[in-house]
Amino acid sequence: MSGRRPLIAGNWKMNKTGVEAREHVARLRAHLGDGDLHADVAVCPAFTALEATARAASGSSVRVLAQAVHEAPSGAHTGEISAGMIAAAGADGTLVGHSERRAAGETDDQVAARVRAALDVGLDVIMCVGESLEQREAGETDAWLTGQVRAGLAQVAAGEVSVLAIAYEPIWAIGTGRTATPEIAQEACAHVRAIAGETLDAVAVRVLYGGSVTPETAPALLSQPDIDGALVGGASLDPDAFAAIVGAA
Ligand code: PEP
């Protein structure tokens, strides 16, 4: 991994209340210990559990990220949450551009503005990109990823590379149990890195793989040279499985 510190992030999606989140983090802390880890570890609770999760993780190496953010600092955006609110809840960062949000209408321009809004208040960002099965089968994967990466990074300065990671998440692998092979994931992550390298230091930028990562599939994926960690959905809901993936890193 060329000295890049691995990052394992768990996306809880629409799961876990604040009480459940506290229990989960306590179990995760017991697994990981509070000493120095060889990887950065993050969990991404729903907005309603953000503050409880941040409190439960306080003093540990577990970082807390929101799952989405709005680009505006405040205003008439019913149901949305600003970057400032996420920071005030005690979170360290946020996901931006998850494919489930993009499928609900989030555009490349919004992703770029949301990345910028998060960075502006000091939040770390994991920006997600990934192609559909139809795009892969049509041979459009590289061109699609190129467009998403360039658009999403449009407002990121070179000096911000340390607080931003990019998660390559093929849509066909998310929640399907159809994990990308290490070769496919490596090839796409290398491409994402090369495109990010047009504006950021390609050696420094962390590129994660996401899509049905499990304790079984993690070791081969995480041993690829351009895969610096994982964004984990389903398997992150179980602290034992998630800790095992962290262990693989
Ligand atoms: C995700 O939601 O980002 C994800 C990768 O989910 P899963 O691990 O369940 O495929």
Side-chain angles (χ1 to χ4, degrees):
M1 293 185 195
S2 308
R4 293 181 294 273
R5 193 171 158 81
L7 167 59
I8 307 296
N11 176 12
W12 294 350
K13 310 194 188 194
M14 199 170 71
N15 294 286
K16 296 191 192 294
T17 63
V19 171
E20 291 165 342
R22 274 202 298 274
E23 286 167 7
H24 179 106
V25 171
R27 279 180 63 187
L28 195 55
R29 287 181 71 157
H31 268 298
L32 302 177
D34 283 338
D36 264 358
L37 295 171
H38 295 293
D40 290 335
V41 177
V43 295
C44 310
F47 289 137
T48 48
L50 211 48
E51 197 160 349
T53 310
R55 280 181 207 267
S58 175
S60 78
S61 45
V62 177
R63 296 175 70 75
V64 179
L65 275 59
Q67 297 174 12
V69 61
H70 194 273
E71 64 272 31
S74 62
H77 303 286
T78 303
E80 298 288 350
I81 307 285
S82 73
M85 290 167 169
I86 291 169
D92 305 291
T94 184
L95 304 180
V96 179
H98 191 281
S99 61
E100 289 159 12
R101 303 282 304 175
R102 292 182 188 259
E106 191 172 54
T107 65
D108 274 346
D109 285 349
Q110 283 176 318
V111 170
R114 291 169 178 184
V115 168
R116 185 66 260 152
L119 295 175
D120 280 345
V121 302
L123 293 175
D124 292 354
V125 168
I126 300 178
M127 182 183 86
C128 307
V129 298
E131 83 288 359
S132 67
L133 187 59
E134 295 70 32
Q135 288 167 322
R136 174 157 287 275
E137 288 176 348
E140 296 167 357
T141 298
D142 282 2
W144 180 253
L145 294 177
T146 297
Q148 284 192 320
V149 172
R150 282 185 184 150
L153 296 182
Q155 300 178 45
V156 177
E160 292 173 315
V161 69
S162 64
V163 289
L164 178 126
I166 304 173
Y168 165 64
E169 297 206 303
I171 295 167
W172 45 270
I174 296 178
T176 60
R178 187 176 167 185
T179 319
T181 63
E183 294 72 26
I184 286 177
Q186 160 59 25
E187 191 184 346
C189 288
H191 180 72
V192 165
R193 181 181 308 289
I195 301 304
E198 294 172 355
T199 52
L200 305 175
D201 179 356
V203 176
V205 69
R206 288 194 288 189
V207 181
L208 318 181
Y209 165 78
S212 297
V213 175
T214 63
E216 292 71 38
T217 57
L221 288 161
L222 296 173
S223 65
Q224 299 301 312
D226 284 293
I227 300 180
D228 303 319
L231 181 54
V232 185
S236 75
L237 296 176
D238 172 4
D240 302 345
F242 188 61
I245 294 170
V246 174

